[in-house]
Amino acid sequence: MSGHNPTSTLAERVRIALNNDFLRNAVRFTTERLRTNKQAAAEQIGNWEEWRERGRQIRLHTIAHLDYYLAQFAENLRRAGGYVHFASTAEEAVAITLQIMAAKQAKSVVKSKSMVSEEVHINQALEEQGIETVETDLGEYIIQLAGETPSHIIIPAIHKNKAQVAELFSEVAGEPLPADTAVLAAFARSKLRGKFLEADIGMTGCNFAIAESGSIVLFSNEGNARMVSTVPRTQITMMGMERILPSWEDLEVMATLLPRSATGQKLTVYMSAINGPRRTADGDGPDELHVIIIDNGRSRQLGDPEFQEVLNCIRCGACLNACPVYRHIGGHAYGWVYSGPIGAVLTPVLNEEKEKWAEVANASTLCGACYEACPVKIPLHDMLVYIRRRNVEEGRTKRTERLGMKTYKVAVSSHRFYQLALKLGRIGQKPLVRDGQIPTRLGPLKGWNNVRTAPALAERSFRESWQALERELQQEMAEMSPQVKARLEELAGKRGDRHEQ
Amino acid sequence: MNNERNPIIERLHRQSLQQQEAFLDHIAHRLGRERITTPPARPFAGAPDFWRGFTLEAEERISLFLSNWESLGGVAKRVRSMDDARAYIADLTDRMQAKRLVCEEHPLLADLLPEGDKEREVTVWGGGDPAHLLKKAAEADIGVAVADFAIAYTGTLVLTSSPARGRSISLLPAVFIGIVRAADIRTKMGEVLSVIRTWDGGRMPAGIHFVTGPSRSADIENDLTIGVHGPGSVHALVVDEVDGR
Ligand code: SF4
């Protein structure tokens, strides 16, 4: 995997984030709102646990039979007149895209949100070829103008305030625009409308692909994914290879879980299923449709009992909103495409250079809130433990931490001792954080202690931030639900029963 | 549209057919087994059982759809006949001082505006040059189409694309009017998906769009903005009696 370099350490990124008051307040406010909305939406439909369980079952089944469903999808999409491409790496995905661009002599591309396209750095590659590439999701457009990366899966520009947006848009407009949401949104609408109508290529991501008909399904609220898949003559869709669903009926479950978990909506404003290119007599829709199925580190998780389930993720962002660490530091501190608990897991497991990304898994408290929030029940907190353990086993940690992890490993492998450690962790949170000993043993706050003592820190403001973090963490730990607690306890006792179909 | 392939695309296509086998073999290998080529058994598929059993009476479906659409920020109205629907559209066109309409080619939508209305231009989708249609839709103030289905539980209109019903109609104009027959309102999404399932994948409509309220965004400091990219004003008309014209 190329082009990803954490230019700073986790500690530095966290320090920057903690010193940015707007960021912290904005992230906290927004995640709180999303979280409340999600809870209300889950209560509204009722039987949330049954929905989650069904979501998990469908995802487990699909991933366990991924080769079958991908083959079926490819066959059906080709039958509907679309092209399917397979890319094992980011480089291959870029190469295929550039060849399609060349075939179409494309000069401009409009894009709707696609996290996998961020993974492969397609914008950079296109710009290098002199192909104008415009992000059209309002949030993505903002951060593209700012030259930044998304800091939240669902709300990419969560860290930008109105004044900053006004400044960015004013530059494009060539005249000062007020920091007024309606004005700014109207400007983006008309600016991007022109781009949609002129673009040679529309690029989309893929929320779900349906094997039984070769369809791709896109969720959006603004309508930009519809524009991108309606107006340009050629459409290219980048799809992580795990985005598949066996059948249309499974889509009802995902359409229930995804919008509710992401924003608390019953359904996003647009859910669009694209089945091949436009039919011959249709008046709109792309003449040509290309779907690029991308591996980029995903297949390494297959057959790995500890990590296969990470491929069940439907990218809803609920774990970010639930995470006390994310809520304090925002998305950029994680350093790569994905942030929050899912980012803390995906970043080290998808990237080949383990060394470089090992520490990201430390940005977590293992409180289990991410698991509880996850609509497909991915045990992210277990996975974070496994990553830390592997870091230790493979010698990617400092000696002190290694010692700590050894203890931790013993703790996890011994049911009773683990329960004890858990209890200690909950009850004695504050002193533990202070003396830095037990966090090492328990795992959770290890990374944070390193951060705390990093010499480069602005001592005073950091200490204040740290205290706030400490307070919140303490609260969250105290609030740990019985379900999560049971889950954590169960973990120590029985593993490996999860890959039944 | 695979005829007359560009040589680069042709090469990519052949390369893909080769890579596909290696790609899928690798997945099977990682999963620790041979490739699976027969449909796997599905002990769990689709919505949980309790949900499948959930249905509402016709009247409940109508009122739930209307109230959901309204609470999303749309305008929802139940009308007795297509004559009433046409009157609503004419009135809205007047009130908004709309100059251009684009509408699906549909028997229900013939004579959309009163005869002799020279003030306004109505573009009927259906055949013709795609570039021309796109231009007309982009210029239109109001788009009008008939939905295949509505979903009461989520407040959703389901619009498939066809030569007579462009996707742009419900996307490009600032105002969208969606008409749905009362009899086409279903309780929940699964009932619509199970119909779509029966369509032949190779020949199903190229676009199936589920539309739930006006286009929106909260990307700038959490401020809810209506009408980003898609229509900001959306009207759903539920028609009780359809004379089939
Ligand atoms: S891990 Fe779960 S909660 Fe987090 S983004 Fe993925 S599906 Fe959503």
Side-chain angles (χ1 to χ4, degrees):
Chain A
M1 202 163 307
S2 70
H4 301 113
N5 260 308
T7 49
S8 49
T9 63
L10 177 66
E12 282 162 355
R13 297 194 299 270
V14 167
R15 176 171 55 84
I16 293 165
L18 288 179
N19 282 330
N20 181 339
D21 282 346
F22 173 80
L23 170 83
R24 295 187 49 217
N25 290 335
V27 170
R28 189 191 291 233
F29 175 82
T30 309
T31 52
E32 199 56 54
R33 188 179 58 96
L34 293 173
R35 209 157 65 126
T36 315
N37 290 350
K38 182 209 163 200
Q39 266 154 16
E43 273 160 33
Q44 186 273 333
I45 193 164
N47 299 87
W48 187 244
E49 286 310 311
E50 275 190 63
W51 283 106
R52 280 180 87 203
E53 181 56 24
R54 183 49 57 95
R56 172 179 166 271
Q57 288 163 335
I58 291 171
R59 293 300 295 149
L60 279 175
H61 171 87
T62 309
I63 301 300
H65 302 90
L66 192 58
D67 51 335
Y68 176 80
Y69 289 118
L70 279 174
Q72 192 190 16
F73 170 76
E75 184 189 328
N76 284 323
L77 179 54
R78 290 198 184 106
R79 210 158 57 88
Y83 293 98
V84 186
H85 309 275
F86 292 87
S88 300
T89 62
E91 288 77 9
E92 286 179 24
V94 169
I96 292 167
T97 310
L98 292 182
Q99 287 180 70
I100 300 169
M101 296 287 160
K104 298 285 131 190
Q105 298 178 321
K107 306 237 170 346
S108 57
V109 175
V110 281
K111 278 184 75 199
S112 62
K113 195 157 79 182
S114 158
M115 298 304 285
V116 70
S117 81
E118 303 265 352
E119 273 179 49
V120 308
H121 287 286
I122 194 66
N123 292 17
Q124 207 181 316
L126 291 170
E127 297 284 351
E128 276 164 19
Q129 301 294 314
I131 299 166
E132 185 194 40
T133 308
V134 181
E135 293 286 351
T136 62
D137 173 271
L138 188 51
E140 294 274 350
Y141 181 58
I142 293 168
I143 58 167
Q144 187 186 31
L145 291 178
E148 294 172 1
T149 53
S151 67
H152 190 287
I153 298 185
I154 301 298
I155 308 192
I158 191 173
H159 59 288
K160 284 269 176 266
N161 66 25
K162 252 183 249 180
Q164 291 168 312
V165 176
E167 207 173 295
L168 291 166
F169 285 12
S170 298
E171 218 168 285
V172 179
E175 56 172 327
L177 296 174
D180 178 287
T181 306
V183 174
L184 296 172
F187 170 76
R189 177 184 165 100
S190 75
K191 184 81 197 165
L192 292 171
R193 183 57 74 97
K195 299 289 181 194
F196 286 124
L197 295 173
E198 287 162 14
D200 300 312
I201 310 270
M203 277 190 81
T204 75
C206 171
N207 291 101
F208 300 104
I210 298 178
E212 70 177 344
S213 63
S215 309
I216 63 161
V217 183
L218 304 169
F219 287 72
S220 91
N221 278 320
E222 298 177 3
N224 59 319
R226 279 192 71 186
M227 296 292 262
V228 167
S229 61
T230 296
V231 182
R233 304 288 297 269
T234 302
Q235 179 183 338
I236 301 176
T237 293
M238 285 197 170
M239 157 185 166
M241 69 175 200
E242 79 286 16
R243 302 274 112 225
I244 204 114
L245 289 176
S247 85
W248 282 90
E249 53 177 346
D250 300 314
L251 182 62
E252 184 177 24
V253 179
M254 298 305 150
T256 299
L257 294 172
L258 176 60
R260 281 170 205 265
S261 301
T263 56
Q265 288 169 279
K266 284 180 185 162
L267 191 56
T268 47
V269 177
Y270 303 109
M271 182 178 89
S272 313
I274 310 294
N275 317 295
R278 73 182 174 94
R279 303 292 171 256
T280 316
D282 284 359
D284 57 9
D287 295 339
E288 214 170 280
L289 172 68
H290 295 267
V291 176
I292 306 175
I293 299 173
I294 300 172
D295 180 338
N296 202 30
R298 288 160 172 78
S299 60
R300 272 202 304 277
Q301 317 320 316
L302 290 172
D304 183 332
E306 294 181 341
F307 291 102
Q308 182 167 319
E309 270 181 271
V310 80
L311 300 179
N312 294 356
C313 174
I314 59 171
R315 305 284 191 269
C316 71
C319 57
L320 280 64
N321 304 330
C323 177
V325 175
Y326 177 86
R327 279 148 34 126
H328 272 272
I329 64 176
H332 288 148
Y334 295 80
W336 196 53
V337 177
Y338 302 100
S339 54
I342 183 65
V345 173
L346 278 181
T347 304
V349 305
L350 287 188
N351 281 288
E352 247 160 327
E353 301 106 311
K354 297 267 174 283
E355 203 65 48
K356 218 156 73 177
W357 296 104
E359 63 174 358
V360 175
N362 292 341
S364 57
T365 68
L366 308 183
C367 67
C370 47
Y371 165 74
E372 200 182 8
C374 179
V376 288
K377 300 169 79 169
I378 301 172
L380 291 162
H381 56 299
D382 296 0
M383 293 179 181
L384 289 164
V385 172
Y386 303 143
I387 293 172
R388 292 179 194 196
R389 195 201 61 222
R390 287 183 189 192
N391 285 342
V392 171
E393 285 170 356
E394 290 158 30
R396 276 189 296 274
T397 44
K398 294 186 206 75
R399 208 189 69 88
T400 47
E401 194 169 342
R402 218 144 42 218
L403 280 173
M405 281 309 296
K406 210 181 267 169
T407 322
Y408 188 53
K409 196 171 147 196
V410 174
V412 172
S413 58
S414 145
H415 185 70
R416 258 189 53 211
F417 192 71
Y418 189 59
Q419 278 186 320
L420 180 72
L422 263 178
K423 214 160 142 195
L424 276 174
R426 275 208 323 285
I427 298 164
Q429 186 62 18
K430 202 159 188 173
L432 298 190
V433 172
R434 278 214 187 112
D435 70 26
Q437 280 304 306
I438 306 267
T440 310
R441 272 220 310 278
L442 187 63
L445 291 164
K446 176 59 190 147
W448 294 95
N449 275 292
N450 289 340
V451 169
R452 186 166 60 147
T453 52
L457 300 182
E459 199 47 55
R460 198 186 156 78
S461 70
F462 185 80
R463 190 179 311 123
E464 282 160 13
S465 305
W466 175 256
Q467 279 163 358
L469 178 57
E470 209 176 310
R471 271 196 304 278
E472 172 153 344
L473 294 183
Q474 197 183 355
Q475 240 174 37
E476 307 264 340
M477 295 296 262
E479 281 167 10
M480 186 191 280
S481 79
Q483 266 166 320
V484 171
K485 197 177 137 210
R487 164 86 195 167
L488 281 168
E489 283 165 359
E490 169 201 40
L491 162 73
K494 64 170 199 201
R495 285 293 310 177
D497 62 337
R498 209 182 273 128
H499 295 280
E500 84 283 19
Q501 310 309 296
Chain B
M1 316 222 143
N2 282 353
N3 35 13
E4 288 177 58
R5 275 183 193 140
N6 171 299
I8 303 178
I9 302 291
E10 178 63 38
R11 198 178 61 231
L12 277 175
H13 175 64
R14 281 200 312 267
Q15 171 191 319
S16 152
L17 292 176
Q18 276 176 5
Q19 276 180 344
Q20 174 168 344
E21 294 314 305
F23 194 95
L24 299 179
D25 286 348
H26 174 64
I27 289 175
H29 171 75
R30 288 290 323 175
L31 287 166
R33 55 163 172 72
E34 297 292 308
R35 282 273 296 279
I36 292 177
T37 49
T38 50
R42 298 275 329 258
F44 309 106
D49 288 341
F50 76 89
W51 185 248
R52 288 169 189 259
F54 168 57
T55 48
L56 297 171
E57 295 299 320
E59 279 303 311
E60 291 173 311
R61 289 201 295 269
I62 294 169
S63 59
L64 182 60
F65 170 76
L66 293 171
S67 70
N68 272 330
W69 189 266
E70 295 249 320
S71 70
L72 292 159
V75 180
K77 212 162 159 50
R78 183 174 183 180
V79 294
R80 186 189 292 279
S81 67
M82 269 314 292
D83 282 338
D84 293 348
R86 271 188 292 272
Y88 180 91
I89 295 168
D91 179 55
L92 186 72
T93 308
D94 273 348
R95 278 190 289 133
M96 306 202 80
Q97 300 182 309
K99 290 275 175 287
R100 299 185 183 88
L101 281 77
V102 57
C103 76
E104 166 187 357
E105 185 173 44
H106 193 288
L108 291 179
L109 300 179
D111 316 319
L112 203 54
L113 293 178
E115 225 170 294
D117 190 332
K118 297 262 183 299
E119 302 272 289
R120 300 180 180 88
E121 178 192 279
V122 179
T123 302
V124 177
W125 197 278
D129 171 33
H132 170 77
L133 289 171
L134 180 65
K135 180 167 175 289
K136 288 295 172 190
E139 288 170 357
D141 304 303
I142 300 181
V144 189
V146 180
D148 301 76
F149 300 102
I151 301 167
Y153 195 75
T154 50
T156 301
L157 292 174
V158 184
L159 296 144
T160 53
S161 65
S162 71
R165 191 190 299 133
R167 311 169 186 195
S168 305
I169 299 171
S170 59
L171 181 64
L172 294 177
V175 179
F176 172 62
I177 303 172
I179 291 165
V180 63
R181 302 170 183 89
D184 291 333
I185 304 181
R186 303 285 181 268
T187 303
K188 56 195 189 291
M189 183 187 289
E191 294 161 54
V192 175
L193 298 181
S194 61
V195 176
I196 293 177
R197 262 199 100 172
T198 63
W199 297 344
D200 173 8
R203 263 174 291 155
M204 63 169 41
I208 304 174
H209 292 97
F210 294 71
V211 178
T212 308
S215 156
R216 57 182 257 174
S217 173
D219 273 353
I220 300 179
E221 271 195 31
N222 291 298
D223 277 359
L224 184 62
T225 316
I226 296 295
V228 189
H229 303 312
S233 170
V234 292
H235 303 249
L237 302 180
V238 175
V239 186
D240 278 330
E241 292 164 17
V242 169
D243 49 12
R245 21 173 291 171

